[in-house]
């Protein structure tokens, strides 16, 4: 590191040190892959800004075998002239100063600095090294940084006849843990989204980590309308072309533009994606509430006018069932509820979206009365199904009360009443349930044995009452004690705060049936108790696959590799003895002590926590895996068959 740092540079170092000390505050969790991938989005955002400014049409992302990643664009190239205030190159300021983008009063760079995340300097701070190569003014410049600190000067290395920026970084393994590999699918789906939102921008992803290089290209001239079509590609839609809505309103700070694409399908889920300045707001906000208000009033108005309503009006949930929509707002100075920009709070946006959508939707219904009727009919059906479901659910609840207190007889409850320390094992089969009851810590662990396969709820979404009549499902609902249903506005809906256990642990056999039962349970939880999954309450127990014994020593292996390693170790200890290998097929083959020791003891067990990265992707996966479309499922299985490593029938 050179020693010519002035006062400004010391500030820089302190800024980057803060990012290294608390990466979570700037980039998300460094242990579960979210910060790791956030680094990519930060770098790519700069290239996208060059596109928005009208100077770049291609972004190329490459995953290298050494775990580094590069982002190349063909924009103007980062400026290289000396920065007035800091006395170093503008490029170095951008690479090392937190939020440097905003410091450039040069209005051309306002988009990124003002509206995007923490900037490329935060990524630099958490990188073992970062190389930047700039093509600008006919020359090539290069500079290297280590842990965010300059390792070389910015030097001119040659000439070129193009412009652009190439940034390569290697995430620092002293900061990131657990997940160190970039996830191609996650990068692909995120950058695909980016290219949909930036009609005309081509994004290329190269995965060069294995000998077989893999490249995909995203380039959509159709923008958000094409995005909606693609999301609904495998669904039966009520109208062929998405409804496209655009509007603009001038506020003091400048123009606010809104752009929406809407399409209804026969799906039961609602999928609305919200964006502000190309950034996803996963918790919605004022644009979403504006859209919702307009949808409810416009569709109810149309239904009344056409005499399509028999009873009460349609609820918001009714009119949004089966809707896929993109709301994209561009705002000169938006406010968010948090640093992560998950929710837009700029209050004026709600009225703008509401007015534009209401007007355009009414117009659309006038011009397309057939589609209007279909949408209303679908909402009326949804409303009836919801009413039937509510009745069935209340009946279940009353029945529980009649049977005394409501806890099901099959439940072996734990002693503690403090949900934060309580967990419930959902166990496949009565015999494994028996072992689990004997082996457990009865103070904090409850056992609920479930008989056979629970109902595939995905195929009953049109007849939800049937779901509530199912014995095993009733038993779970009563044991959890937190209600059922994903509609937060509805009393009796699932509420994590009432959950009697903080961990719901699915424990099934390590075979194909076990996997099926686990999928059925996850389908039920996702469709009817989604906050339990989103709140991180759902886990999957990991029973061992093998017991390895030598004399009095028993060891357990959870994978084939581990089995081989343990066999080697046991061999090494005593050359002579030939080693016993037992393959566990079912939980029932383990006695209570073994089950406790290997799978249930909180001190030693491993469990998988069920998390959801992308609700829409998850919706589609359950539709594919568990729904009615057999050819589609077959195609999915064929696509993924080669990923299956341990199929034991
Ligand atoms: C500051 C000012 C200008 C462009 C950039 C930064 C810039 C940053 C990155 C990061 C990755 N790719 C990038 N491309 C451009 C404007 C330069 C001008 O006015 O010529």
């Amino acid at each position: 590191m050179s020693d010519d740092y002035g006062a400004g540079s010391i500030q820089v170092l302190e800024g980057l040190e803060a990012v290294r000390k608390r990466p979570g505050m700037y980039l998300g969790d460094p242990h579960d892959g979210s910060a790791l991938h956030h680094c990519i989005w930060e770098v790519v955002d700069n290239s996208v800004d060059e596109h928005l400014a009208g100077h770049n049409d291609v972004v190329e992302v490459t995953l290298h075998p050494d775990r580094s990643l590069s982002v190349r664009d063909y924009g103007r190239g980062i400026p290289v002239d000396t920065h007035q205030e800091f006395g170093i190159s503008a490029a170095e300021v951008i690479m090392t100063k937190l939020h440097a983008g905003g410091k450039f009063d040069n209005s051309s760079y306002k988009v990124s600095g003002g509206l995007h995340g923490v900037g490329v300097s935060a990524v630099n701070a958490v990188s073992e090294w970062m190389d930047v190569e700039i093509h600008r003014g006919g020359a090539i410049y290069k500079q290297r940084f280590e842990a965010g600190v300059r390792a070389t000067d910015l030097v001119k290395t040659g000439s070129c006849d193009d412009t652009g920026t190439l940034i390569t970084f290697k995430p620092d393994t002293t900061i990131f843990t657990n997940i160190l590999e970039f996830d191609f699918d996650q990068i692909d789906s995120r950058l695909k989204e980016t290219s949909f939102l930036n009609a005309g921008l081509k994004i290329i992803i190269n995965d060069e980590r294995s000998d077989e290089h893999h490249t995909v290209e995203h380039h959509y001239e159709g923008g958000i309308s094409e995005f909606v079509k693609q999301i609904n590609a495998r669904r039966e839609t009520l109208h062929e072309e998405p409804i496209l809505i655009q509007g603009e309103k001038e506020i003091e700070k400048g123009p606010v533009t809104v752009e929406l694409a809407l399409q209804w399908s026969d799906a039961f889920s609602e999928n609305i994606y919200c964006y502000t300045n190309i950034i996803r707001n996963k918790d919605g906000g004022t644009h979403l509430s504006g859209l919702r208000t307009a949808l409810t009033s416009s569709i109810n108005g149309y239904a009344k006018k056409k005499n399509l309503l028999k009873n009460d009006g349609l609820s918001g949930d009714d009119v949004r069932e089966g809707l896929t929509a993109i709301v994209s707002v561009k705002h000169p100075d938006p406010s968010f509820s948090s640093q992560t920009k998950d929710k837009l709070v700029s209050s004026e946006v709600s009225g703008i979206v509401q007015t534009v959508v209401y007007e355009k939707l009414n117009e659309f219904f006038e011009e397309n009365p057939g589609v209007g009727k279909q949408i209303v009919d679908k909402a009326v059906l949804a409303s009836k199904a919801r009413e039937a479901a509510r009745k069935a659910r209340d009946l279940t609840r009353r029945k529980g009360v009649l049977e005394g207190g409501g806890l099901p007889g099959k439940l072996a409850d734990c002693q503690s009443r403090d949900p934060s320390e309580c967990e419930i094992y959902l166990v496949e089969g009565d015999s494994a349930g028996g072992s689990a009851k004997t082996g457990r810590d009865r103070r904090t662990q409850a056992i609920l044995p479930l008989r056979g396969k629970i109902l595939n709820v995905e195929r009953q979404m049109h007849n939800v009452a049937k779901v509530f009549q199912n014995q095993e499902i009733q038993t779970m609902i009563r044991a959890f004690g937190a209600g059922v249903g994903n509609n937060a506005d509805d009393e009796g809906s699932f509420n994590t705060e009432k959950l009697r256990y903080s961990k719901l642990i699915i424990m099934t056999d390590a075979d194909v049936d076990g996997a099926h039962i686990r999928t059925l349970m996850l389908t039920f939880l996702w469709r009817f108790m989604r906050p339990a999954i989103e709140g991180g309450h759902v886990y999957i127990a990991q029973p061992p696959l093998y017991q390895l014994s030598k004399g009095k020593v028993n060891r357990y292996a959870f994978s084939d590799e581990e089995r081989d390693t343990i066999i080697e170790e046991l061999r090494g200890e005593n050359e002579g003895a030939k080693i016993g290998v037992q393959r566990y097929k079912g939980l029932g083959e383990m006695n209570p002590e073994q089950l406790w020791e290997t799978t249930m003891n909180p001190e030693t067990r491993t469990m998988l926590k069920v998390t959801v990265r992308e609700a829409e992707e998850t919706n589609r996966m359950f539709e594919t895996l568990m729904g009615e479309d057999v050819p589609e499922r077959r195609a999915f299985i064929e696509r993924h068959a080669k990923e299956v490593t341990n199929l034991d029938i």
Side-chain angles (χ1 to χ4, degrees):
M1 182 178 103
S2 34
D3 54 9
D4 56 349
Y5 277 91
S9 307
I10 287 166
Q11 223 182 322
V12 164
L13 289 178
E14 282 171 356
L16 295 189
E17 201 44 47
V19 181
R20 288 179 66 82
K21 277 216 181 90
R22 296 169 177 227
M25 274 195 31
Y26 299 86
L27 292 157
D29 192 331
H31 311 301
D32 70 356
S34 55
L36 184 77
H37 290 86
H38 198 169
C39 289
I40 312 173
W41 324 143
E42 283 301 334
V43 179
V44 168
D45 274 356
N46 292 283
S47 305
V48 172
D49 278 344
E50 283 295 285
H51 170 77
L52 289 172
H55 299 283
N56 176 42
D57 289 324
V58 180
V59 179
E60 197 165 352
V61 174
T62 306
L63 290 79
H64 302 285
D66 66 353
R67 289 196 174 138
S68 67
L69 182 144
S70 53
V71 179
R72 169 89 165 103
D73 68 50
Y74 298 84
R76 287 166 292 185
I78 306 180
V80 292
D81 48 312
T82 304
H83 188 271
Q84 297 283 330
E85 184 188 336
F86 295 98
I88 51 177
S89 74
E92 189 169 334
V93 175
I94 288 175
M95 304 309 283
T96 57
K97 183 128 180 66
L98 226 45
H99 300 288
K103 287 278 171 203
F104 279 78
D105 271 334
N106 177 353
S107 67
S108 56
Y109 197 54
K110 270 232 167 87
V111 193
S112 174
L115 305 175
H116 279 185
V118 286
V120 66
S121 59
V123 182
N124 194 8
V126 296
S127 295
E128 187 184 316
W129 51 262
M130 179 180 267
D131 283 333
V132 57
E133 179 179 321
I134 298 163
H135 293 210
R136 196 175 158 97
I140 301 176
Y141 304 82
K142 289 186 184 175
Q143 186 167 21
R144 168 167 276 225
F145 301 86
E146 286 167 8
V149 175
R150 147 180 30 179
T152 70
D153 285 336
L154 181 72
V155 284
K156 199 188 276 194
T157 61
S159 59
C160 61
D161 51 18
D162 62 357
T163 62
T165 306
L166 169 66
I167 291 174
T168 310
F169 66 97
K170 182 164 188 213
D172 191 332
T173 48
T174 63
I175 290 176
F176 298 94
T177 61
N178 289 331
I179 295 185
L180 301 168
E181 294 290 341
F182 292 114
D183 174 2
F184 184 88
D185 289 342
Q186 194 175 330
I187 296 170
D188 183 48
S189 83
R190 166 71 183 239
L191 296 184
K192 180 157 124 188
E193 178 183 357
T194 304
S195 71
F196 274 126
L197 290 163
N198 292 280
L201 176 64
K202 182 193 283 186
I203 302 183
I204 303 166
I205 312 166
N206 304 304
D207 189 349
E208 300 185 345
R209 290 175 299 181
S210 66
D211 292 341
E212 241 176 88
H213 289 192
H214 178 49
T215 296
V216 295
E217 213 177 283
H218 296 297
H219 184 201
Y220 307 102
E221 293 295 347
I224 61 172
S225 178
E226 213 171 320
F227 192 4
V228 165
K229 273 191 179 177
Q230 169 136 358
I231 293 171
N232 278 341
R234 297 197 189 88
R235 294 179 176 138
E236 197 68 47
T237 55
L238 303 192
H239 49 111
E240 198 154 325
E241 286 303 316
I243 304 168
L244 202 58
I245 297 173
Q246 279 158 322
E248 182 169 329
K249 186 167 186 233
E250 200 63 32
I251 60 167
E252 210 179 302
K253 297 258 173 58
V256 175
T257 66
V258 303
E259 199 186 355
L260 298 98
L262 289 78
Q263 191 180 40
W264 275 267
S265 78
D266 65 352
F268 295 98
S269 52
E270 160 194 341
N271 298 295
I272 304 180
Y273 283 58
C274 303
Y275 301 86
T276 307
N277 299 333
I278 320 290
I279 299 164
R280 172 88 184 273
N281 313 120
K282 80 172 169 41
D283 298 330
T286 47
H287 38 10
L288 178 61
S289 59
L291 167 63
R292 287 184 165 181
T293 308
L295 278 171
T296 310
S297 60
S298 164
I299 294 176
N300 269 296
Y302 183 73
K304 275 193 199 117
K305 189 165 146 197
K306 298 279 165 183
N307 272 322
L308 297 167
L309 279 188
K310 297 228 167 49
N311 305 316
D312 300 343
L314 300 160
S315 75
D317 282 308
D318 298 333
V319 304
R320 290 191 307 270
E321 189 179 286
L323 172 66
T324 297
I326 312 285
V327 193
S328 175
V329 171
K330 302 243 170 62
H331 194 294
D333 183 28
S335 321
F336 300 95
S337 65
S338 70
Q339 183 87 51
T340 50
K341 309 192 176 185
D342 290 334
K343 191 168 182 182
L344 178 70
V345 296
S346 307
S347 57
E348 69 281 5
V349 173
S350 131
I352 300 175
V353 173
Q354 190 184 324
T355 311
V356 172
V357 173
Y358 185 77
E359 250 170 50
K360 292 288 166 68
L361 211 51
N362 287 352
E363 213 175 284
F364 176 87
F365 288 148
E366 287 310 321
E367 285 163 14
N368 302 273
V371 178
K373 182 172 183 315
Q374 271 187 295
I375 292 171
V376 173
D377 285 349
K378 158 107 181 155
V380 169
L381 267 183
S383 159
K384 283 184 185 152
R386 221 176 295 283
E387 191 49 40
R390 204 171 291 139
K391 280 195 184 128
R393 186 185 62 197
D394 291 346
L395 215 65
T396 310
R397 216 187 310 167
R398 243 174 316 193
K399 192 171 151 217
V401 174
L402 284 180
E403 284 171 11
L407 282 184
K410 298 204 312 182
L411 173 72
D413 207 7
C414 54
Q415 289 155 351
S416 167
R417 285 289 167 267
D418 172 6
S420 72
E421 62 171 1
C422 294
E423 41 191 54
I424 182 168
Y425 276 84
L426 308 165
V427 187
E428 168 186 0
D430 288 334
S431 80
S435 289
K437 276 183 200 173
T438 313
R440 68 180 168 144
D441 171 358
R442 55 184 61 235
R443 203 178 71 75
T444 57
Q445 295 180 320
I447 308 294
L448 184 65
L450 295 170
R451 196 172 322 118
K453 304 210 162 160
I454 75 160
L455 185 74
N456 179 358
V457 301
E458 190 64 31
R459 300 212 189 164
Q460 303 299 338
M461 293 303 288
H462 57 283
N463 183 14
V464 178
K466 200 159 166 194
V467 172
F468 297 116
Q469 283 151 14
N470 181 269
Q471 270 307 322
E472 306 303 306
I473 287 176
Q474 280 189 13
T475 309
M476 280 195 276
I477 297 170
R478 283 162 55 199
F480 300 167
V484 64
N486 287 337
N487 179 3
D489 304 329
D490 195 355
E491 200 225 319
S493 278
F494 185 81
N495 177 356
T496 28
E497 280 166 32
K498 293 194 195 149
L499 208 49
R500 300 179 60 245
Y501 314 91
S502 55
K503 294 192 172 80
L504 314 178
I505 306 168
I506 301 172
M507 185 158 77
T508 59
D509 289 343
D511 61 9
V512 171
D513 277 337
H516 189 207
I517 292 168
R518 183 168 64 230
T519 312
L520 290 166
M521 288 206 213
L522 288 171
T523 310
F524 167 69
L525 292 172
W526 178 250
R527 290 296 182 212
F528 291 89
M529 299 185 173
R530 185 156 148 185
I533 296 185
E534 289 172 335
H537 296 286
V538 180
Y539 292 79
I540 294 170
Q542 295 288 289
L545 290 177
Y546 300 99
Q547 183 186 41
L548 305 151
S549 51
K550 190 167 114 176
K552 284 205 180 101
V553 182
N554 281 326
R555 302 270 305 268
Y556 301 95
F558 293 81
S559 68
D560 289 0
E561 297 83 65
E562 198 180 358
R563 174 198 60 192
D564 297 340
T565 316
I566 295 175
I567 291 177
E568 283 305 309
E569 285 172 22
L570 290 176
R571 264 212 196 102
E573 283 162 20
N574 176 356
E575 297 287 334
K578 168 119 178 76
I579 292 154
V581 180
Q582 187 195 350
R583 167 80 165 94
Y584 286 125
K585 289 239 166 86
L587 297 163
E589 292 175 23
M590 278 183 272
N591 64 36
E593 294 74 40
Q594 286 170 325
L595 196 56
W596 164 256
E597 199 181 323
T598 59
T599 316
M600 296 178 68
N601 180 356
E603 304 280 319
T604 53
R605 71 186 174 194
T606 30
M607 300 197 296
L608 300 178
K609 185 170 179 168
V610 177
T611 59
V612 168
R613 199 173 53 229
E614 183 54 80
E616 157 53 31
E617 222 174 275
T618 311
N619 278 333
R620 272 185 290 169
M621 186 156 83
F622 280 118
E623 281 169 27
T624 304
L625 279 178
M626 311 305 284
E628 314 269 7
D629 189 342
V630 177
E632 171 51 29
R633 173 159 48 251
R634 196 189 172 83
F636 179 93
I637 292 170
E638 280 168 3
R639 261 197 319 279
H640 292 276
K642 61 176 189 295
E643 295 160 23
V644 175
T645 50
N646 215 323
L647 190 68
D648 198 332
I649 304 182

